[in-house]
Amino acid sequence: ELLKIIDDCKIDIVHLEHEAEGFDMNMVSMLYKNDRTYRIVETCHNVIFKPESKIFIPDAFAFCTPFHFETFKSIDTFKQLIQFPIEANIPDWKDKVYAKQTLGFKEGKINVLNVGLWTKGKNQGEALLIARQNPNIDFHFVGNQAINFADYWQPLMDDLPKNVKVWGERDDVALFMQGCDIFMFNSTFECNPLVLKEAIGYQMPIFA
């Protein structure tokens, strides 16, 4: 089905947002066929991939971090660094008031924000412990709770502190960045976390 889409749409560039070896090998073998008419670009999004595990060599790498120049230095193909930008999104006092009111924040409270998929690596359990120790501060969690990670997040959800609100996956994270006072980043396993760059762009104090 994938190859049919590529053929029907006359695709010129296929971008894999993961190393090819992490996908179904039969599909990747067909994708990397020698007589392909398109170019393949790969972006690695982890820090544990070993270059000796590389079987399929793309036409180019688009790196999200300079770290990967070292990881893939032995592979002779085009490489370019394309980093997520830090944009100046500094809210003024009106933006902050609007965001707090829109989200229904309590007046006079300090609001702490945590953003990310609920996983052991994102470490929301530690954030909840901190929330429990600071009952006078409100903590907001934005992020998906995928069923395949339920063994991690479900026990946490069964015993939430009263000053915690779990908002789930949202498409208005910018509103939370504007309305909250502090960004809390508890991750223990990351490559190049975009949410930190977003928080910096909003000039939020960051606890990491």
PDB file of all heavy atoms in Angstrom, residues 123-138:
ATOM      1  N   ASN A 123       8.820  10.141  32.977  1.00  0.00           N
ATOM      2  CA  ASN A 123       8.978  10.233  34.431  1.00  0.00           C
ATOM      3  C   ASN A 123       7.935  11.099  35.127  1.00  0.00           C
ATOM      4  O   ASN A 123       8.239  11.826  36.070  1.00  0.00           O
ATOM      5  CB  ASN A 123      10.396  10.749  34.749  1.00  0.00           C
ATOM      6  CG  ASN A 123      10.841  10.436  36.158  1.00  0.00           C
ATOM      7  OD1 ASN A 123      10.322   9.539  36.813  1.00  0.00           O
ATOM      8  ND2 ASN A 123      11.808  11.193  36.640  1.00  0.00           N
ATOM      9  N   GLN A 124       6.670  11.002  34.690  1.00  0.00           N
ATOM     10  CA  GLN A 124       5.620  11.786  35.344  1.00  0.00           C
ATOM     11  C   GLN A 124       5.421  11.372  36.802  1.00  0.00           C
ATOM     12  O   GLN A 124       4.923  12.158  37.607  1.00  0.00           O
ATOM     13  CB  GLN A 124       4.296  11.645  34.591  1.00  0.00           C
ATOM     14  CG  GLN A 124       4.215  12.457  33.320  1.00  0.00           C
ATOM     15  CD  GLN A 124       4.659  11.701  32.088  1.00  0.00           C
ATOM     16  OE1 GLN A 124       5.245  10.620  32.193  1.00  0.00           O
ATOM     17  NE2 GLN A 124       4.391  12.247  30.913  1.00  0.00           N
ATOM     18  N   GLY A 125       5.824  10.149  37.138  1.00  0.00           N
ATOM     19  CA  GLY A 125       5.692   9.693  38.522  1.00  0.00           C
ATOM     20  C   GLY A 125       6.445  10.591  39.487  1.00  0.00           C
ATOM     21  O   GLY A 125       5.945  10.917  40.575  1.00  0.00           O
ATOM     22  N   GLU A 126       7.646  11.011  39.098  1.00  0.00           N
ATOM     23  CA  GLU A 126       8.418  11.931  39.933  1.00  0.00           C
ATOM     24  C   GLU A 126       7.700  13.279  40.049  1.00  0.00           C
ATOM     25  O   GLU A 126       7.664  13.893  41.121  1.00  0.00           O
ATOM     26  CB  GLU A 126       9.807  12.139  39.345  1.00  0.00           C
ATOM     27  CG  GLU A 126      10.659  13.116  40.160  1.00  0.00           C
ATOM     28  CD  GLU A 126      11.953  13.470  39.454  1.00  0.00           C
ATOM     29  OE1 GLU A 126      11.899  14.148  38.399  1.00  0.00           O
ATOM     30  OE2 GLU A 126      13.009  13.064  39.961  1.00  0.00           O
ATOM     31  N   ALA A 127       7.137  13.742  38.927  1.00  0.00           N
ATOM     32  CA  ALA A 127       6.424  15.022  38.928  1.00  0.00           C
ATOM     33  C   ALA A 127       5.233  14.976  39.881  1.00  0.00           C
ATOM     34  O   ALA A 127       4.950  15.956  40.593  1.00  0.00           O
ATOM     35  CB  ALA A 127       5.964  15.354  37.506  1.00  0.00           C
ATOM     36  N   LEU A 128       4.534  13.850  39.922  1.00  0.00           N
ATOM     37  CA  LEU A 128       3.395  13.709  40.828  1.00  0.00           C
ATOM     38  C   LEU A 128       3.853  13.705  42.285  1.00  0.00           C
ATOM     39  O   LEU A 128       3.166  14.234  43.166  1.00  0.00           O
ATOM     40  CB  LEU A 128       2.619  12.428  40.511  1.00  0.00           C
ATOM     41  CG  LEU A 128       1.889  12.417  39.169  1.00  0.00           C
ATOM     42  CD1 LEU A 128       1.255  11.058  38.915  1.00  0.00           C
ATOM     43  CD2 LEU A 128       0.836  13.512  39.108  1.00  0.00           C
ATOM     44  N   LEU A 129       5.010  13.128  42.539  1.00  0.00           N
ATOM     45  CA  LEU A 129       5.577  13.134  43.891  1.00  0.00           C
ATOM     46  C   LEU A 129       5.884  14.566  44.331  1.00  0.00           C
ATOM     47  O   LEU A 129       5.583  14.973  45.458  1.00  0.00           O
ATOM     48  CB  LEU A 129       6.846  12.281  43.930  1.00  0.00           C
ATOM     49  CG  LEU A 129       7.586  12.217  45.271  1.00  0.00           C
ATOM     50  CD1 LEU A 129       6.707  11.601  46.349  1.00  0.00           C
ATOM     51  CD2 LEU A 129       8.878  11.424  45.134  1.00  0.00           C
ATOM     52  N   ILE A 130       6.448  15.351  43.418  1.00  0.00           N
ATOM     53  CA  ILE A 130       6.735  16.761  43.701  1.00  0.00           C
ATOM     54  C   ILE A 130       5.446  17.528  43.949  1.00  0.00           C
ATOM     55  O   ILE A 130       5.364  18.366  44.854  1.00  0.00           O
ATOM     56  CB  ILE A 130       7.540  17.389  42.540  1.00  0.00           C
ATOM     57  CG1 ILE A 130       8.933  16.750  42.475  1.00  0.00           C
ATOM     58  CG2 ILE A 130       7.642  18.901  42.694  1.00  0.00           C
ATOM     59  CD1 ILE A 130       9.722  17.098  41.226  1.00  0.00           C
ATOM     60  N   ALA A 131       4.418  17.224  43.164  1.00  0.00           N
ATOM     61  CA  ALA A 131       3.114  17.877  43.349  1.00  0.00           C
ATOM     62  C   ALA A 131       2.549  17.555  44.730  1.00  0.00           C
ATOM     63  O   ALA A 131       2.004  18.432  45.418  1.00  0.00           O
ATOM     64  CB  ALA A 131       2.151  17.425  42.256  1.00  0.00           C
ATOM     65  N   ARG A 132       2.691  16.311  45.142  1.00  0.00           N
ATOM     66  CA  ARG A 132       2.175  15.895  46.451  1.00  0.00           C
ATOM     67  C   ARG A 132       2.875  16.643  47.594  1.00  0.00           C
ATOM     68  O   ARG A 132       2.291  16.926  48.633  1.00  0.00           O
ATOM     69  CB  ARG A 132       2.359  14.383  46.608  1.00  0.00           C
ATOM     70  CG  ARG A 132       1.432  13.729  47.629  1.00  0.00           C
ATOM     71  CD  ARG A 132       1.650  12.232  47.676  1.00  0.00           C
ATOM     72  NE  ARG A 132       1.424  11.591  46.413  1.00  0.00           N
ATOM     73  CZ  ARG A 132       0.224  11.255  45.937  1.00  0.00           C
ATOM     74  NH1 ARG A 132      -0.866  11.531  46.646  1.00  0.00           N
ATOM     75  NH2 ARG A 132       0.101  10.659  44.770  1.00  0.00           N
ATOM     76  N   GLN A 133       4.148  16.966  47.359  1.00  0.00           N
ATOM     77  CA  GLN A 133       4.935  17.663  48.376  1.00  0.00           C
ATOM     78  C   GLN A 133       4.673  19.172  48.391  1.00  0.00           C
ATOM     79  O   GLN A 133       5.146  19.870  49.280  1.00  0.00           O
ATOM     80  CB  GLN A 133       6.423  17.402  48.140  1.00  0.00           C
ATOM     81  CG  GLN A 133       6.820  15.943  48.352  1.00  0.00           C
ATOM     82  CD  GLN A 133       8.220  15.632  47.830  1.00  0.00           C
ATOM     83  OE1 GLN A 133       8.785  16.403  47.058  1.00  0.00           O
ATOM     84  NE2 GLN A 133       8.768  14.495  48.261  1.00  0.00           N
ATOM     85  N   ASN A 134       3.944  19.666  47.378  1.00  0.00           N
ATOM     86  CA  ASN A 134       3.667  21.101  47.256  1.00  0.00           C
ATOM     87  C   ASN A 134       2.170  21.325  47.031  1.00  0.00           C
ATOM     88  O   ASN A 134       1.751  21.742  45.941  1.00  0.00           O
ATOM     89  CB  ASN A 134       4.479  21.696  46.100  1.00  0.00           C
ATOM     90  CG  ASN A 134       5.973  21.650  46.368  1.00  0.00           C
ATOM     91  OD1 ASN A 134       6.527  22.536  47.000  1.00  0.00           O
ATOM     92  ND2 ASN A 134       6.639  20.603  45.887  1.00  0.00           N
ATOM     93  N   PRO A 135       1.355  21.073  48.053  1.00  0.00           N
ATOM     94  CA  PRO A 135      -0.106  21.114  47.874  1.00  0.00           C
ATOM     95  C   PRO A 135      -0.668  22.493  47.562  1.00  0.00           C
ATOM     96  O   PRO A 135      -1.805  22.596  47.086  1.00  0.00           O
ATOM     97  CB  PRO A 135      -0.632  20.603  49.231  1.00  0.00           C
ATOM     98  CG  PRO A 135       0.487  20.871  50.198  1.00  0.00           C
ATOM     99  CD  PRO A 135       1.752  20.704  49.419  1.00  0.00           C
ATOM    100  N   ASN A 136       0.099  23.554  47.790  1.00  0.00           N
ATOM    101  CA  ASN A 136      -0.400  24.902  47.524  1.00  0.00           C
ATOM    102  C   ASN A 136      -0.131  25.372  46.100  1.00  0.00           C
ATOM    103  O   ASN A 136      -0.460  26.497  45.738  1.00  0.00           O
ATOM    104  CB  ASN A 136       0.222  25.894  48.518  1.00  0.00           C
ATOM    105  CG  ASN A 136      -0.214  25.612  49.943  1.00  0.00           C
ATOM    106  OD1 ASN A 136      -1.365  25.228  50.170  1.00  0.00           O
ATOM    107  ND2 ASN A 136       0.678  25.779  50.893  1.00  0.00           N
ATOM    108  N   ILE A 137       0.510  24.512  45.282  1.00  0.00           N
ATOM    109  CA  ILE A 137       0.810  24.821  43.883  1.00  0.00           C
ATOM    110  C   ILE A 137      -0.003  23.887  42.998  1.00  0.00           C
ATOM    111  O   ILE A 137      -0.166  22.702  43.318  1.00  0.00           O
ATOM    112  CB  ILE A 137       2.322  24.654  43.604  1.00  0.00           C
ATOM    113  CG1 ILE A 137       3.123  25.662  44.451  1.00  0.00           C
ATOM    114  CG2 ILE A 137       2.637  24.831  42.128  1.00  0.00           C
ATOM    115  CD1 ILE A 137       4.625  25.480  44.356  1.00  0.00           C
ATOM    116  N   ASP A 138      -0.533  24.395  41.884  1.00  0.00           N
ATOM    117  CA  ASP A 138      -1.302  23.558  40.955  1.00  0.00           C
ATOM    118  C   ASP A 138      -0.394  23.038  39.838  1.00  0.00           C
ATOM    119  O   ASP A 138       0.414  23.790  39.272  1.00  0.00           O
ATOM    120  CB  ASP A 138      -2.464  24.351  40.355  1.00  0.00           C
ATOM    121  CG  ASP A 138      -3.598  24.541  41.365  1.00  0.00           C
ATOM    122  OD1 ASP A 138      -3.572  23.869  42.414  1.00  0.00           O
ATOM    123  OD2 ASP A 138      -4.500  25.360  41.102  1.00  0.00           O
TER     124      ASP A 138
END
